[in-house]
Short mmCIF file of all heavy atoms in Angstrom, two decimals:
data_model
loop_
_atom_site.label_atom_id
_atom_site.label_comp_id
_atom_site.label_asym_id
_atom_site.label_seq_id
_atom_site.Cartn_x
_atom_site.Cartn_y
_atom_site.Cartn_z
N GLU A 58 0.87 -1.15 0.01
CA GLU A 58 0.00 -0.01 -0.03
C GLU A 58 0.88 1.23 -0.02
O GLU A 58 0.73 2.06 0.87
CB GLU A 58 -0.94 0.01 1.17
CG GLU A 58 -1.97 -1.05 1.04
CD GLU A 58 -3.18 -0.92 2.03
OE1 GLU A 58 -3.37 0.25 2.62
OE2 GLU A 58 -3.76 -1.92 2.32
N LYS A 59 1.68 1.34 -1.00
CA LYS A 59 2.57 2.62 -1.09
C LYS A 59 1.84 3.56 -2.05
O LYS A 59 1.04 3.20 -2.87
CB LYS A 59 3.81 2.18 -1.71
CG LYS A 59 4.68 1.22 -0.77
CD LYS A 59 5.98 0.83 -1.31
CE LYS A 59 6.81 -0.03 -0.46
NZ LYS A 59 8.01 -0.47 -0.93
N GLY A 60 2.11 4.78 -1.89
CA GLY A 60 1.55 5.88 -2.72
C GLY A 60 0.37 6.42 -2.07
O GLY A 60 0.03 6.28 -0.82
N SER A 61 -0.50 6.97 -2.88
CA SER A 61 -1.57 7.60 -2.47
C SER A 61 -2.90 6.90 -2.36
O SER A 61 -3.83 7.27 -1.83
CB SER A 61 -1.90 8.92 -3.23
OG SER A 61 -2.16 8.62 -4.59
N TYR A 62 -2.85 5.63 -2.85
CA TYR A 62 -4.08 4.81 -2.85
C TYR A 62 -4.22 4.03 -1.59
O TYR A 62 -3.22 3.47 -1.17
CB TYR A 62 -3.98 3.85 -4.08
CG TYR A 62 -5.23 2.90 -4.09
CD1 TYR A 62 -6.49 3.40 -4.65
CD2 TYR A 62 -5.27 1.59 -3.62
CE1 TYR A 62 -7.59 2.61 -4.64
CE2 TYR A 62 -6.34 0.89 -3.58
CZ TYR A 62 -7.47 1.50 -4.07
OH TYR A 62 -8.72 0.58 -4.10
N ILE A 63 -5.36 4.01 -1.02
CA ILE A 63 -5.75 3.30 0.15
C ILE A 63 -6.61 2.21 -0.05
O ILE A 63 -7.65 2.41 -0.57
CB ILE A 63 -6.18 4.28 1.37
CG1 ILE A 63 -5.18 5.36 1.67
CG2 ILE A 63 -6.53 3.41 2.49
CD1 ILE A 63 -5.74 6.37 2.54
N ALA A 64 -6.19 0.97 0.10
CA ALA A 64 -6.94 -0.13 -0.14
C ALA A 64 -8.22 -0.13 0.76
O ALA A 64 -8.14 0.13 1.88
CB ALA A 64 -6.27 -1.40 0.03
N ASP A 65 -9.37 -0.47 0.14
CA ASP A 65 -10.65 -0.56 0.96
C ASP A 65 -11.22 -2.02 0.70
O ASP A 65 -10.58 -2.85 0.20
CB ASP A 65 -11.60 0.51 0.49
CG ASP A 65 -12.02 0.35 -1.00
OD1 ASP A 65 -11.59 -0.54 -1.74
OD2 ASP A 65 -12.67 1.30 -1.53
N ASN A 66 -12.45 -2.19 1.26
CA ASN A 66 -13.03 -3.53 1.10
C ASN A 66 -13.00 -4.07 -0.30
O ASN A 66 -12.85 -5.25 -0.60
CB ASN A 66 -14.49 -3.51 1.69
CG ASN A 66 -14.45 -3.72 3.20
OD1 ASN A 66 -13.76 -3.05 3.84
ND2 ASN A 66 -15.29 -4.72 3.60
N SER A 67 -13.35 -3.16 -1.27
CA SER A 67 -13.41 -3.53 -2.69
C SER A 67 -12.20 -4.14 -3.09
O SER A 67 -12.07 -5.11 -3.90
CB SER A 67 -13.86 -2.42 -3.58
OG SER A 67 -15.29 -1.98 -3.28
N THR A 68 -11.06 -3.47 -2.73
CA THR A 68 -9.67 -3.93 -3.17
C THR A 68 -9.50 -5.39 -2.67
O THR A 68 -9.16 -6.22 -3.41
CB THR A 68 -8.69 -2.99 -2.65
OG1 THR A 68 -8.87 -1.64 -3.07
CG2 THR A 68 -7.34 -3.48 -3.10
N TYR A 69 -9.73 -5.57 -1.32
CA TYR A 69 -9.48 -6.83 -0.68
C TYR A 69 -10.43 -7.90 -1.27
O TYR A 69 -10.12 -9.06 -1.59
CB TYR A 69 -9.59 -6.80 0.75
CG TYR A 69 -8.34 -6.10 1.43
CD1 TYR A 69 -8.45 -4.77 1.82
CD2 TYR A 69 -7.15 -6.65 1.38
CE1 TYR A 69 -7.43 -4.02 2.32
CE2 TYR A 69 -6.11 -6.02 1.85
CZ TYR A 69 -6.17 -4.67 2.39
OH TYR A 69 -5.13 -4.09 2.83
N ASN A 70 -11.66 -7.47 -1.66
CA ASN A 70 -12.68 -8.51 -2.21
C ASN A 70 -12.15 -8.90 -3.54
O ASN A 70 -12.32 -10.11 -3.87
CB ASN A 70 -13.94 -7.87 -2.28
CG ASN A 70 -14.74 -7.73 -0.96
OD1 ASN A 70 -14.22 -8.42 -0.05
ND2 ASN A 70 -15.68 -6.88 -0.85
N ILE A 71 -11.66 -7.96 -4.32
CA ILE A 71 -11.20 -8.39 -5.70
C ILE A 71 -10.02 -9.40 -5.52
O ILE A 71 -9.95 -10.34 -6.20
CB ILE A 71 -10.74 -7.13 -6.51
CG1 ILE A 71 -12.00 -6.29 -6.80
CG2 ILE A 71 -9.90 -7.53 -7.67
CD1 ILE A 71 -11.74 -4.92 -7.28
N LEU A 72 -9.05 -9.08 -4.73
CA LEU A 72 -7.95 -9.97 -4.55
C LEU A 72 -8.30 -11.29 -3.88
O LEU A 72 -7.89 -12.36 -4.44
CB LEU A 72 -7.01 -9.28 -3.58
CG LEU A 72 -6.21 -8.00 -4.14
CD1 LEU A 72 -5.55 -7.30 -2.94
CD2 LEU A 72 -5.26 -8.46 -5.25
N ILE A 73 -9.23 -11.32 -2.96
CA ILE A 73 -9.68 -12.59 -2.40
C ILE A 73 -10.40 -13.38 -3.39
O ILE A 73 -10.21 -14.59 -3.47
CB ILE A 73 -10.54 -12.28 -1.04
CG1 ILE A 73 -9.58 -11.86 0.06
CG2 ILE A 73 -11.27 -13.52 -0.75
CD1 ILE A 73 -10.39 -11.26 1.19
N ASN A 74 -11.19 -12.72 -4.17
CA ASN A 74 -12.03 -13.48 -5.27
C ASN A 74 -10.99 -14.04 -6.28
O ASN A 74 -11.25 -15.19 -6.57
CB ASN A 74 -13.01 -12.49 -5.82
CG ASN A 74 -13.94 -13.25 -6.83
OD1 ASN A 74 -14.52 -14.29 -6.46
ND2 ASN A 74 -14.20 -12.66 -7.87
N ARG A 75 -10.10 -13.24 -6.82
CA ARG A 75 -9.34 -13.77 -7.98
C ARG A 75 -8.38 -14.76 -7.41
O ARG A 75 -8.25 -15.83 -8.13
CB ARG A 75 -8.55 -12.62 -8.62
CG ARG A 75 -9.43 -11.60 -9.18
CD ARG A 75 -10.37 -12.07 -10.32
NE ARG A 75 -9.51 -12.54 -11.40
CZ ARG A 75 -9.87 -13.38 -12.34
NH1 ARG A 75 -11.07 -13.98 -12.30
NH2 ARG A 75 -9.14 -13.71 -13.30
N TYR A 76 -7.74 -14.65 -6.34
CA TYR A 76 -6.85 -15.68 -5.85
C TYR A 76 -7.58 -16.98 -5.47
O TYR A 76 -7.11 -18.00 -5.62
CB TYR A 76 -5.97 -15.20 -4.59
CG TYR A 76 -4.79 -14.36 -5.08
CD1 TYR A 76 -4.78 -12.96 -5.08
CD2 TYR A 76 -3.60 -15.07 -5.57
CE1 TYR A 76 -3.70 -12.13 -5.52
CE2 TYR A 76 -2.56 -14.23 -5.96
CZ TYR A 76 -2.60 -12.89 -5.95
OH TYR A 76 -1.45 -12.14 -6.33
N GLY A 77 -8.83 -16.76 -4.97
CA GLY A 77 -9.63 -17.86 -4.66
C GLY A 77 -10.05 -18.73 -5.82
O GLY A 77 -10.06 -20.00 -5.77
N GLN A 78 -10.29 -18.05 -6.91
CA GLN A 78 -10.68 -18.68 -8.18
C GLN A 78 -9.56 -19.69 -8.67
O GLN A 78 -9.87 -20.58 -9.46
CB GLN A 78 -11.08 -17.68 -9.26
CG GLN A 78 -12.32 -16.96 -9.02
CD GLN A 78 -12.68 -15.91 -10.05
OE1 GLN A 78 -11.83 -15.57 -10.84
NE2 GLN A 78 -13.81 -15.46 -10.03
N VAL A 79 -8.33 -19.26 -8.39
CA VAL A 79 -7.19 -20.23 -8.88
C VAL A 79 -6.72 -21.06 -7.80
O VAL A 79 -5.72 -21.76 -7.97
CB VAL A 79 -6.03 -19.30 -9.53
CG1 VAL A 79 -6.51 -18.65 -10.69
CG2 VAL A 79 -5.43 -18.35 -8.58
N GLY A 80 -7.38 -21.05 -6.60
CA GLY A 80 -7.08 -22.02 -5.50
C GLY A 80 -5.99 -21.68 -4.62
O GLY A 80 -5.54 -22.60 -3.84
N PHE A 81 -5.64 -20.41 -4.57
CA PHE A 81 -4.58 -19.87 -3.60
C PHE A 81 -5.18 -19.61 -2.29
O PHE A 81 -5.32 -18.47 -1.84
CB PHE A 81 -3.85 -18.73 -4.17
CG PHE A 81 -2.97 -18.97 -5.31
CD1 PHE A 81 -2.99 -20.20 -6.03
CD2 PHE A 81 -2.10 -18.05 -5.76
CE1 PHE A 81 -2.21 -20.38 -7.14
CE2 PHE A 81 -1.31 -18.25 -6.91
CZ PHE A 81 -1.38 -19.49 -7.55
N ILE A 82 -5.48 -20.71 -1.48
CA ILE A 82 -6.19 -20.58 -0.18
C ILE A 82 -5.48 -19.79 0.72
O ILE A 82 -5.89 -18.97 1.51
CB ILE A 82 -6.71 -22.03 0.27
CG1 ILE A 82 -7.66 -22.68 -0.67
CG2 ILE A 82 -7.22 -21.83 1.80
CD1 ILE A 82 -8.88 -21.97 -0.87
N GLU A 83 -4.21 -20.11 0.97
CA GLU A 83 -3.26 -19.43 1.96
C GLU A 83 -3.18 -17.95 1.61
O GLU A 83 -3.20 -17.06 2.49
CB GLU A 83 -1.86 -20.06 1.88
CG GLU A 83 -1.81 -21.49 2.57
CD GLU A 83 -0.48 -22.01 2.59
OE1 GLU A 83 0.45 -21.37 2.56
OE2 GLU A 83 -0.46 -23.30 2.68
N THR A 84 -3.20 -17.64 0.30
CA THR A 84 -3.10 -16.21 -0.04
C THR A 84 -4.31 -15.43 0.28
O THR A 84 -4.27 -14.32 0.78
CB THR A 84 -2.82 -16.12 -1.46
OG1 THR A 84 -1.60 -16.73 -1.90
CG2 THR A 84 -2.68 -14.61 -1.97
N ILE A 85 -5.45 -16.08 0.06
CA ILE A 85 -6.79 -15.42 0.43
C ILE A 85 -6.79 -15.21 1.89
O ILE A 85 -7.39 -14.28 2.37
CB ILE A 85 -8.02 -16.02 -0.23
CG1 ILE A 85 -8.30 -17.42 0.43
CG2 ILE A 85 -7.91 -16.10 -1.70
CD1 ILE A 85 -9.73 -17.88 0.01
N GLU A 86 -6.27 -16.16 2.61
CA GLU A 86 -6.34 -16.05 4.15
C GLU A 86 -5.45 -14.83 4.54
O GLU A 86 -5.81 -14.19 5.54
CB GLU A 86 -6.07 -17.40 4.77
CG GLU A 86 -7.11 -18.43 4.76
CD GLU A 86 -8.53 -17.78 5.19
OE1 GLU A 86 -8.58 -17.16 6.16
OE2 GLU A 86 -9.58 -18.05 4.45
N ASP A 87 -4.34 -14.78 3.87
CA ASP A 87 -3.44 -13.64 4.34
C ASP A 87 -4.08 -12.22 3.93
O ASP A 87 -4.00 -11.42 4.82
CB ASP A 87 -2.11 -13.73 3.39
CG ASP A 87 -1.24 -14.93 3.76
OD1 ASP A 87 -1.45 -15.42 4.92
OD2 ASP A 87 -0.45 -15.26 2.98
N PHE A 88 -4.81 -12.21 2.82
CA PHE A 88 -5.56 -10.95 2.48
C PHE A 88 -6.67 -10.72 3.46
O PHE A 88 -6.96 -9.61 3.90
CB PHE A 88 -6.01 -10.93 1.12
CG PHE A 88 -5.11 -10.60 -0.02
CD1 PHE A 88 -4.78 -11.58 -0.95
CD2 PHE A 88 -4.26 -9.40 0.10
CE1 PHE A 88 -3.80 -11.15 -1.96
CE2 PHE A 88 -3.36 -9.16 -0.82
CZ PHE A 88 -3.11 -10.02 -1.91
N PHE A 89 -7.34 -11.82 3.92
CA PHE A 89 -8.44 -11.70 4.87
C PHE A 89 -8.00 -11.18 6.17
O PHE A 89 -8.58 -10.32 6.69
CB PHE A 89 -9.15 -13.11 4.97
CG PHE A 89 -10.37 -13.04 5.83
CD1 PHE A 89 -11.56 -12.59 5.28
CD2 PHE A 89 -10.37 -13.49 7.10
CE1 PHE A 89 -12.67 -12.50 6.02
CE2 PHE A 89 -11.55 -13.41 7.91
CZ PHE A 89 -12.69 -12.94 7.35
N GLN A 90 -6.83 -11.72 6.64
CA GLN A 90 -6.28 -11.33 7.92
C GLN A 90 -5.80 -9.81 7.77
O GLN A 90 -5.90 -8.95 8.71
CB GLN A 90 -5.05 -12.16 8.33
CG GLN A 90 -5.49 -13.58 8.62
CD GLN A 90 -6.46 -13.70 9.77
OE1 GLN A 90 -6.33 -12.93 10.74
NE2 GLN A 90 -7.41 -14.57 9.63
N LEU A 91 -5.23 -9.48 6.65
CA LEU A 91 -4.79 -8.06 6.44
C LEU A 91 -5.94 -7.04 6.45
O LEU A 91 -5.90 -5.97 7.01
CB LEU A 91 -4.03 -7.88 5.13
CG LEU A 91 -3.36 -6.66 4.74
CD1 LEU A 91 -2.38 -6.20 5.83
CD2 LEU A 91 -2.72 -6.66 3.43
N LEU A 92 -6.99 -7.45 5.83
CA LEU A 92 -8.29 -6.72 5.78
C LEU A 92 -8.70 -6.44 7.36
O LEU A 92 -8.97 -5.25 7.67
CB LEU A 92 -9.30 -7.50 5.13
CG LEU A 92 -10.72 -6.91 5.13
CD1 LEU A 92 -11.30 -6.90 3.63
CD2 LEU A 92 -11.66 -7.74 5.85
N SER A 93 -8.60 -7.39 8.05
CA SER A 93 -9.06 -7.25 9.55
C SER A 93 -8.03 -6.43 10.24
O SER A 93 -8.54 -5.45 11.14
CB SER A 93 -9.14 -8.57 10.22
OG SER A 93 -10.15 -9.41 9.61
N ARG A 94 -6.81 -6.51 10.03
CA ARG A 94 -5.76 -5.70 10.68
C ARG A 94 -5.85 -4.20 10.30
O ARG A 94 -5.41 -3.40 11.05
CB ARG A 94 -4.37 -6.30 10.32
CG ARG A 94 -3.97 -7.52 11.11
CD ARG A 94 -2.47 -7.79 11.16
NE ARG A 94 -1.84 -7.81 9.81
CZ ARG A 94 -1.78 -9.04 9.07
NH1 ARG A 94 -2.25 -10.10 9.55
NH2 ARG A 94 -1.27 -8.93 7.88
N LYS A 95 -6.31 -3.98 9.05
CA LYS A 95 -6.50 -2.54 8.61
C LYS A 95 -7.77 -2.00 9.14
O LYS A 95 -8.02 -0.85 8.98
CB LYS A 95 -6.52 -2.60 7.13
CG LYS A 95 -5.34 -3.01 6.47
CD LYS A 95 -4.17 -1.99 6.65
CE LYS A 95 -2.85 -2.36 5.86
NZ LYS A 95 -1.81 -1.43 6.07
N GLY A 96 -8.53 -2.67 9.93
CA GLY A 96 -9.70 -2.27 10.59
C GLY A 96 -10.97 -2.29 9.69
O GLY A 96 -12.05 -1.66 10.01
N LEU A 97 -10.87 -3.08 8.57
CA LEU A 97 -11.90 -3.26 7.73
C LEU A 97 -12.76 -4.49 8.07
O LEU A 97 -12.12 -5.42 8.72
CB LEU A 97 -11.49 -3.33 6.34
CG LEU A 97 -10.74 -2.16 5.78
CD1 LEU A 97 -10.14 -2.47 4.37
CD2 LEU A 97 -11.68 -0.88 5.64
N LYS A 98 -14.03 -4.49 7.80
CA LYS A 98 -14.76 -5.65 8.20
C LYS A 98 -15.22 -6.43 6.91
O LYS A 98 -15.58 -5.78 5.99
CB LYS A 98 -16.03 -5.27 8.89
CG LYS A 98 -15.73 -4.60 10.31
CD LYS A 98 -17.10 -4.43 11.03
CE LYS A 98 -16.70 -3.60 12.38
NZ LYS A 98 -16.79 -4.41 13.49
N PRO A 99 -15.19 -7.79 6.99
CA PRO A 99 -15.55 -8.48 5.81
C PRO A 99 -17.05 -8.22 5.44
O PRO A 99 -17.79 -8.11 6.46
CB PRO A 99 -15.35 -9.95 6.30
CG PRO A 99 -14.55 -9.95 7.55
CD PRO A 99 -14.69 -8.53 8.09
N ASN A 100 -17.47 -8.27 4.27
CA ASN A 100 -18.78 -8.17 3.97
C ASN A 100 -19.28 -9.28 3.27
O ASN A 100 -18.66 -10.37 3.13
CB ASN A 100 -18.93 -6.81 3.12
CG ASN A 100 -18.28 -6.85 1.86
OD1 ASN A 100 -17.90 -7.78 1.30
ND2 ASN A 100 -17.94 -5.62 1.48
N VAL A 101 -20.54 -9.25 2.61
CA VAL A 101 -21.13 -10.43 1.86
C VAL A 101 -20.30 -10.93 0.81
O VAL A 101 -20.00 -12.09 0.70
CB VAL A 101 -22.50 -10.10 1.49
CG1 VAL A 101 -23.02 -11.13 0.57
CG2 VAL A 101 -23.52 -9.78 2.56
N VAL A 102 -19.59 -9.88 0.13
CA VAL A 102 -18.75 -10.32 -1.03
C VAL A 102 -17.51 -11.01 -0.61
O VAL A 102 -17.13 -12.15 -1.13
CB VAL A 102 -18.33 -9.10 -1.86
CG1 VAL A 102 -17.29 -9.49 -3.02
CG2 VAL A 102 -19.64 -8.36 -2.44
N THR A 103 -16.91 -10.57 0.52
CA THR A 103 -15.75 -11.19 1.14
C THR A 103 -16.12 -12.69 1.49
O THR A 103 -15.32 -13.69 1.15
CB THR A 103 -15.34 -10.43 2.40
OG1 THR A 103 -15.22 -9.09 2.03
CG2 THR A 103 -13.86 -11.02 2.70
N CYS A 104 -17.10 -12.76 2.26
CA CYS A 104 -17.61 -14.15 2.70
C CYS A 104 -17.86 -15.09 1.59
O CYS A 104 -17.54 -16.21 1.54
CB CYS A 104 -18.59 -13.93 3.69
SG CYS A 104 -18.18 -13.11 5.20
N THR A 105 -18.62 -14.54 0.62
CA THR A 105 -18.94 -15.35 -0.53
C THR A 105 -17.74 -15.81 -1.34
O THR A 105 -17.69 -16.83 -1.77
CB THR A 105 -19.92 -14.52 -1.43
OG1 THR A 105 -21.08 -14.14 -0.78
CG2 THR A 105 -20.37 -15.42 -2.69
N SER A 106 -16.85 -14.91 -1.49
CA SER A 106 -15.56 -15.31 -2.19
C SER A 106 -14.67 -16.37 -1.47
O SER A 106 -14.28 -17.31 -2.03
CB SER A 106 -14.61 -14.09 -2.37
OG SER A 106 -15.27 -13.05 -3.23
N ARG A 107 -14.68 -16.31 -0.16
CA ARG A 107 -13.97 -17.24 0.73
C ARG A 107 -14.69 -18.58 0.59
O ARG A 107 -14.10 -19.66 0.37
CB ARG A 107 -14.02 -16.80 2.11
CG ARG A 107 -12.87 -15.71 2.38
CD ARG A 107 -12.84 -15.38 3.82
NE ARG A 107 -12.10 -16.38 4.61
CZ ARG A 107 -12.36 -16.61 5.79
NH1 ARG A 107 -13.37 -16.10 6.45
NH2 ARG A 107 -11.72 -17.60 6.45
N ILE A 108 -15.95 -18.57 0.71
CA ILE A 108 -16.77 -19.79 0.56
C ILE A 108 -16.53 -20.50 -0.70
O ILE A 108 -16.33 -21.73 -0.81
CB ILE A 108 -18.34 -19.53 0.95
CG1 ILE A 108 -18.53 -19.24 2.47
CG2 ILE A 108 -19.11 -20.81 0.46
CD1 ILE A 108 -19.82 -18.63 2.81
N GLY A 109 -16.61 -19.76 -1.84
CA GLY A 109 -16.45 -20.23 -3.15
C GLY A 109 -15.01 -20.92 -3.27
O GLY A 109 -14.89 -22.04 -3.78
N ALA A 110 -14.05 -20.15 -2.76
CA ALA A 110 -12.68 -20.78 -2.88
C ALA A 110 -12.47 -22.05 -2.07
O ALA A 110 -11.89 -22.98 -2.55
CB ALA A 110 -11.63 -19.70 -2.41
N TYR A 111 -13.04 -22.06 -0.85
CA TYR A 111 -12.88 -23.26 -0.07
C TYR A 111 -13.78 -24.33 -0.54
O TYR A 111 -13.26 -25.57 -0.58
CB TYR A 111 -13.31 -22.99 1.35
CG TYR A 111 -12.20 -22.46 2.25
CD1 TYR A 111 -11.92 -21.09 2.47
CD2 TYR A 111 -11.24 -23.26 2.79
CE1 TYR A 111 -10.87 -20.57 3.08
CE2 TYR A 111 -10.18 -22.79 3.56
CZ TYR A 111 -10.00 -21.52 3.76
OH TYR A 111 -9.00 -20.98 4.50
N SER A 112 -14.83 -24.07 -1.23
CA SER A 112 -15.68 -25.18 -1.73
C SER A 112 -15.04 -25.92 -2.93
O SER A 112 -15.10 -27.01 -3.08
CB SER A 112 -17.10 -24.71 -2.12
OG SER A 112 -17.03 -23.79 -3.15
N LYS A 113 -14.23 -25.12 -3.64
CA LYS A 113 -13.49 -25.64 -4.75
C LYS A 113 -12.31 -26.61 -4.21
O LYS A 113 -11.86 -27.49 -4.92
CB LYS A 113 -12.88 -24.56 -5.64
CG LYS A 113 -13.93 -23.80 -6.39
CD LYS A 113 -13.36 -22.72 -7.30
CE LYS A 113 -14.39 -21.91 -8.01
NZ LYS A 113 -13.85 -20.78 -8.71
N LYS A 114 -11.86 -26.30 -3.01
CA LYS A 114 -10.68 -27.05 -2.48
C LYS A 114 -11.22 -28.00 -1.50
O LYS A 114 -10.41 -28.53 -0.74
CB LYS A 114 -9.63 -26.04 -1.87
CG LYS A 114 -8.89 -25.30 -2.82
CD LYS A 114 -7.87 -26.22 -3.48
CE LYS A 114 -6.81 -25.43 -4.19
NZ LYS A 114 -5.73 -26.23 -4.72
N ASN A 115 -12.52 -28.28 -1.38
CA ASN A 115 -13.12 -29.26 -0.39
C ASN A 115 -12.76 -28.81 1.03
O ASN A 115 -12.61 -29.63 1.94
CB ASN A 115 -12.60 -30.62 -0.62
CG ASN A 115 -13.22 -31.12 -1.98
OD1 ASN A 115 -14.28 -30.84 -2.43
ND2 ASN A 115 -12.26 -31.85 -2.76
N GLY A 116 -12.65 -27.51 1.34
CA GLY A 116 -12.44 -27.03 2.75
C GLY A 116 -13.56 -26.21 3.17
O GLY A 116 -13.31 -25.26 4.03
N LEU A 117 -14.75 -26.26 2.67
CA LEU A 117 -15.91 -25.49 3.06
C LEU A 117 -16.20 -25.58 4.52
O LEU A 117 -16.53 -24.42 5.07
CB LEU A 117 -17.14 -26.05 2.28
CG LEU A 117 -18.34 -25.23 2.37
CD1 LEU A 117 -18.07 -23.67 1.99
CD2 LEU A 117 -19.46 -25.72 1.52
N LEU A 118 -15.96 -26.68 5.13
CA LEU A 118 -16.26 -26.68 6.68
C LEU A 118 -15.33 -25.85 7.39
O LEU A 118 -15.83 -25.14 8.29
CB LEU A 118 -16.23 -28.11 7.19
CG LEU A 118 -17.23 -29.08 6.84
CD1 LEU A 118 -16.90 -30.40 7.27
CD2 LEU A 118 -18.54 -28.58 7.33
N LYS A 119 -14.08 -25.59 7.00
CA LYS A 119 -13.25 -24.75 7.68
C LYS A 119 -13.60 -23.34 7.63
O LYS A 119 -13.72 -22.65 8.60
CB LYS A 119 -11.81 -24.90 7.04
CG LYS A 119 -10.77 -23.93 7.81
CD LYS A 119 -9.47 -24.01 7.18
CE LYS A 119 -8.42 -22.97 7.88
NZ LYS A 119 -7.20 -22.92 7.29
N VAL A 120 -14.03 -22.90 6.44
CA VAL A 120 -14.38 -21.40 6.33
C VAL A 120 -15.82 -21.14 7.06
O VAL A 120 -15.97 -20.17 7.73
CB VAL A 120 -14.57 -20.99 4.93
CG1 VAL A 120 -15.67 -21.49 4.19
CG2 VAL A 120 -14.47 -19.43 4.88
N LEU A 121 -16.67 -22.11 7.11
CA LEU A 121 -18.02 -22.04 7.74
C LEU A 121 -17.77 -21.96 9.20
O LEU A 121 -18.53 -21.29 9.91
CB LEU A 121 -18.95 -23.08 7.38
CG LEU A 121 -19.45 -23.11 5.89
CD1 LEU A 121 -20.24 -24.29 5.61
CD2 LEU A 121 -20.18 -21.72 5.70
N ARG A 122 -16.73 -22.66 9.76
CA ARG A 122 -16.49 -22.60 11.29
C ARG A 122 -15.95 -21.26 11.63
O ARG A 122 -16.10 -20.80 12.82
CB ARG A 122 -15.61 -23.62 11.69
CG ARG A 122 -16.06 -25.02 11.56
CD ARG A 122 -14.97 -26.01 12.09
NE ARG A 122 -15.46 -27.41 11.75
CZ ARG A 122 -14.70 -28.22 11.00
NH1 ARG A 122 -13.42 -27.90 10.57
NH2 ARG A 122 -15.21 -29.42 10.73
N ASN A 123 -15.33 -20.46 10.68
CA ASN A 123 -14.74 -19.17 11.11
C ASN A 123 -15.55 -18.13 10.74
O ASN A 123 -15.11 -16.92 10.73
CB ASN A 123 -13.31 -19.15 10.36
CG ASN A 123 -12.31 -20.12 10.93
OD1 ASN A 123 -12.37 -20.27 12.15
ND2 ASN A 123 -11.71 -20.90 10.19
N ILE A 124 -16.71 -18.19 10.29
CA ILE A 124 -17.66 -17.06 9.89
C ILE A 124 -18.25 -16.53 11.15
O ILE A 124 -18.73 -17.24 12.01
CB ILE A 124 -18.68 -17.48 8.84
CG1 ILE A 124 -18.01 -17.71 7.52
CG2 ILE A 124 -19.83 -16.48 8.70
CD1 ILE A 124 -18.98 -18.07 6.40
#
């Protein structure tokens, strides 16, 4: 996050969604944790993207436990 742009929920949602689509579960979890550390709250799009990524990797129960 260098420069004048400040990442918001939309930024993290895009990253979580795209990395989730290619199966990078650890990366989406890193972005999810960063979102929280930045004081942002996950929204419906964030949760839907995580659920979709985990369901593709057969890890749906893990994400549902953490919602």
Side-chain angles (χ1 to χ4, degrees):
E58 291 192 25
K59 295 179 181 177
S61 62
Y62 182 78
I63 298 173
D65 61 6
N66 272 52
S67 295
T68 306
Y69 289 103
N70 287 341
I71 290 166
L72 292 168
I73 289 169
N74 186 45
R75 295 304 291 161
Y76 279 98
Q78 287 177 349
V79 295
F81 290 10
I82 299 297
E83 289 180 23
T84 303
I85 69 168
E86 287 306 312
D87 290 342
F88 282 123
F89 187 77
Q90 295 301 319
L91 185 58
L92 176 131
S93 298
R94 284 195 306 270
K95 296 290 182 178
L97 301 170
K98 294 187 185 253
N100 58 26
V101 170
V102 176
T103 314
C104 294
T105 302
S106 295
R107 285 179 76 216
I108 289 169
Y111 274 95
S112 66
K113 289 178 185 176
K114 288 286 194 174
N115 296 321
L117 186 57
L118 288 177
K119 179 181 179 182
V120 76
L121 292 176
R122 288 185 195 123
N123 294 315
I124 289 181

